[in-house]
Amino acid sequence: MTDSEHAAAIERLAQAWREADCVLIGAGSGLSTSAGYTYSGERFDRLFSDFKERYGITDMYSGGFYPFDTLEEYWAWWSRAIYCNRYAPMPKPVHRLLLGMLDGSVRARGGETAGSAKDYFVLTTNVDHCFQRAGFDKARLFYTQGDYGLWQCSLPCAQVTYDNEQAVRAMVEEQSDMRVPSELVPHCPRCGRPMMPNLRVDGSFVEDDGWHAAAKRYHNFLVRHEKSRILLLELGVGGNTPGIIKYPFWQLANANPQATYACLNLGEAAAPPQIHSRSICINADIGQTLTELARALRR
């Protein structure tokens, strides 16, 4: 994409944003990467050099599957990973910028708002809780794959999750030699089995009452806007789990002639030919693209 083509795509996206009755955001790992949550390279080496040296782990994703010999080692890894990606300060304000456009707080040059607030909903496979930490309304979020801030029974014995912030902070503070004290290893208060992060890695993933309530709110949003001028804004969704966001967004765009599909994804921006005329694909960094979109909305 040439510079002129990129600029034209930004203007098309700004126009689609202005004309939309609502915005449905589908967020994948590329959005978190743009916000600074890289799982390999310099950030991994800075935060996990000791695990890399001892265990040969080379990135945070694969480290989550490492067969540690003890629960003390397992929770030393996971408490640090959870803290760095869930409770430590957010590296970049990408999510806050997006919220500013959605709630109408982005200002035009003259000081007036650059647009009215949009009815919106967020569907995300990310587990870092960035949307809620950035100020998004919890009732407009559906975290389909779990949340670093929750854990569950490893069996599980019940469809229940537990907040983990206090325990995680204690494990990070008190771990030594890549182990946590045995008394800090969490166990299920119902059956006594070891806990595990509430992440969808297999059939043991717990979908608690909050998960089902969010799924219902997402369904209601789709029904309410079935024939609306909807902007389907896909941010950083790759080919890992396309059936959650990407394919449904394509189907929604195909079924609704008033819908616009926008795909922002560095290296993976594309749309099928059936909806090509109502698609905006921008192959660039998401944070930079949203910055340019906010600037276009200010004009």
Side-chain angles (χ1 to χ4, degrees), residues 2-294:
T2 66
D3 290 346
S4 61
E5 289 172 334
H6 178 82
I10 294 294
E11 288 301 323
R12 282 189 63 205
L13 182 55
Q15 187 63 27
W17 185 288
R18 295 186 188 100
E19 295 175 353
D21 299 319
C22 60
V23 180
L24 176 58
I25 296 165
S29 61
L31 176 61
S32 291
T33 299
S34 180
Y37 288 96
T38 52
Y39 276 30
S40 60
E42 184 278 331
R43 183 170 181 258
F44 173 80
D45 291 342
R46 172 165 44 85
L47 297 173
F48 289 93
S49 60
D50 49 353
F51 281 90
K52 181 177 182 179
E53 181 178 354
R54 177 172 296 181
Y55 301 102
I57 299 171
T58 57
D59 63 88
M60 280 185 246
Y61 182 79
S62 63
F65 296 94
Y66 189 89
F68 294 102
D69 291 333
T70 67
L71 288 172
E72 287 79 6
E73 294 168 280
Y74 175 90
W75 281 110
W77 165 272
W78 271 110
S79 61
R80 195 186 303 180
I82 291 170
Y83 175 79
C84 294
N85 294 303
R86 174 63 173 79
Y87 296 118
M90 297 169 67
K92 299 179 182 179
V94 176
H95 295 75
R96 294 190 181 96
L97 173 61
L98 178 58
L99 179 60
M101 290 186 285
L102 289 165
D103 67 15
S105 62
V106 168
R107 297 285 169 176
R109 291 179 179 176
E112 71 278 8
T113 59
S116 59
K118 296 292 186 184
D119 188 8
Y120 73 87
F121 198 91
V122 176
L123 174 68
T124 181
T125 54
N126 297 337
V127 297
D128 47 34
H129 210 68
C130 283
F131 285 101
Q132 198 164 335
R133 287 196 284 158
F136 281 73
D137 181 357
K138 182 180 179 180
R140 296 174 180 267
L141 303 174
F142 182 21
Y143 288 81
T144 64
Q145 305 298 77
D147 187 328
Y148 278 139
L150 301 173
W151 53 38
Q152 63 172 76
C153 174
S154 56
L155 181 60
C157 64
Q159 294 297 301
V160 178
T161 59
Y162 304 86
D163 292 334
N164 65 24
E165 181 173 4
Q166 183 177 354
V168 165
R169 290 183 181 276
M171 284 192 279
V172 169
E173 183 176 343
E174 298 186 34
Q175 66 179 252
S176 176
D177 192 31
M178 288 160 282
R179 287 171 172 80
V180 301
S182 297
E183 61 269 20
L184 293 184
V185 172
H187 293 84
C188 176
R190 293 171 178 257
C191 72
R193 289 181 176 85
M195 290 288 211
M196 63 181 289
N198 179 229
L199 307 176
R200 192 187 297 277
V201 294
D202 56 31
S204 67
F205 176 70
V206 165
E207 297 175 354
D208 63 8
D209 290 344
W211 189 97
H212 286 285
K216 184 176 181 179
R217 289 192 294 268
Y218 173 54
H219 172 75
N220 291 342
F221 182 90
L222 293 180
V223 171
R224 188 166 70 250
H225 293 292
E226 184 178 8
K227 298 181 180 179
S228 298
R229 291 178 300 178
I230 185 171
L231 174 60
L232 303 163
L233 184 60
E234 183 188 296
L235 303 173
V237 177
N240 191 25
T241 53
I244 297 175
I245 296 173
K246 185 176 290 292
Y247 295 166
F249 274 33
W250 289 354
Q251 292 165 349
L252 288 168
N254 191 53
N256 180 0
Q258 296 200 88
T260 298
Y261 170 72
C263 178
L264 280 56
N265 199 351
L266 181 60
E268 296 185 62
Q274 292 90 335
I275 60 170
H276 190 267
S277 63
R278 290 182 286 111
S279 297
I280 305 166
C281 297
I282 300 179
N283 182 359
D285 175 75
I286 296 170
Q288 180 59 38
T289 302
L290 292 177
T291 299
E292 294 172 358
L293 173 60

